[in-house]
Amino acid sequence: MDETKNPNYTYYEEVYKSFLNSVDSYDLYQMDNDELEERLYGYMDAGRIALATYISADFFDDESAKKRFNFKMKRYEIILLAKAMKLEWVREQKHSQELMRKSIGDRDYASTQGYQYLDRLQSMEKQLSNEIRTTVNRIEYANQELYGDMK
């Protein structure tokens, strides 16, 4: 099943690699390959939804059986999708921390320095959302096919 990679397509593993290079997660590295791939696909799928209004590329144009997109992404698009995946990962981490805070109580959670971590996750979530929105706006504004020469 190890087919030669066609250079006309972007394969999921390129996006996954960019995402994995941007996060520091012991949990992800402890998973077996099948579980990791399932989790990465989930982050990517959720990230695609976040980029659904992105006009320049259709991130849903893929062939999941071959684990590839049906087009060749530009490097910045791979990075953009990896950031959207990271945003989903951050949201998952934040949700997990919020559930932990509820289960052990605010006082005990605070004593374990959980609030600092939760604050950092909330800050990272806002920062990533802003970065993604700004990048999409810049890319689309620069696309002359969409807007023509706006001089």
Side-chain angles (χ1 to χ4, degrees):
M1 185 172 199
D2 187 30
E3 71 177 50
T4 305
K5 303 279 189 223
N6 186 327
N8 296 321
Y9 302 106
T10 298
Y11 289 82
Y12 294 168
E13 70 184 47
E14 294 175 66
V15 179
Y16 295 166
K17 183 178 177 184
S18 185
F19 163 74
L20 287 170
N21 287 334
S22 72
V23 299
D24 189 16
S25 172
Y26 182 75
D27 293 336
L28 291 176
Y29 292 105
Q30 293 300 311
M31 294 179 184
D32 64 42
N33 287 342
D34 290 338
E35 186 180 8
L36 177 62
E37 192 164 325
E38 185 177 318
R39 180 71 58 95
L40 292 173
Y41 185 83
Y43 292 144
M44 186 181 70
D45 204 37
R48 295 193 291 190
I49 292 169
L51 299 175
T53 60
Y54 178 59
I55 299 168
S56 296
D58 179 5
F59 294 113
F60 288 97
D61 183 11
D62 70 333
E63 200 166 333
S64 60
K66 293 186 178 182
K67 300 177 184 177
R68 71 175 192 203
F69 294 90
N70 290 322
F71 60 96
K72 182 68 177 173
M73 283 187 204
K74 294 172 180 68
R75 184 73 193 140
Y76 64 82
E77 291 172 328
I78 292 171
I79 293 168
L80 181 62
L81 184 52
K83 274 187 184 181
M85 289 174 68
K86 184 175 181 178
L87 178 59
E88 294 308 314
W89 176 80
V90 166
R91 287 177 174 159
E92 180 182 85
Q93 299 302 306
K94 185 179 123 187
H95 181 69
S96 175
Q97 288 298 310
E98 288 170 342
L99 289 175
M100 185 182 302
R101 184 188 75 209
K102 288 177 184 176
S103 71
I104 65 174
D106 286 342
R107 185 172 163 179
D108 291 335
Y109 186 78
S111 70
T112 62
Q113 304 297 325
Y115 280 109
Q116 290 176 352
Y117 184 57
L118 191 54
D119 287 345
R120 287 194 305 264
L121 288 171
Q122 289 171 334
S123 175
M124 190 182 303
E125 179 183 25
K126 286 179 188 175
Q127 179 184 352
L128 281 167
S129 292
N130 288 336
E131 284 179 22
I132 291 168
R133 189 176 325 106
T134 299
T135 301
V136 167
N137 288 340
R138 284 182 180 159
I139 292 167
E140 290 182 345
Y141 184 74
N143 188 341
Q144 286 191 350
E145 292 175 12
L146 293 174
Y147 299 107
D149 190 6
M150 298 180 78
K151 289 183 181 179

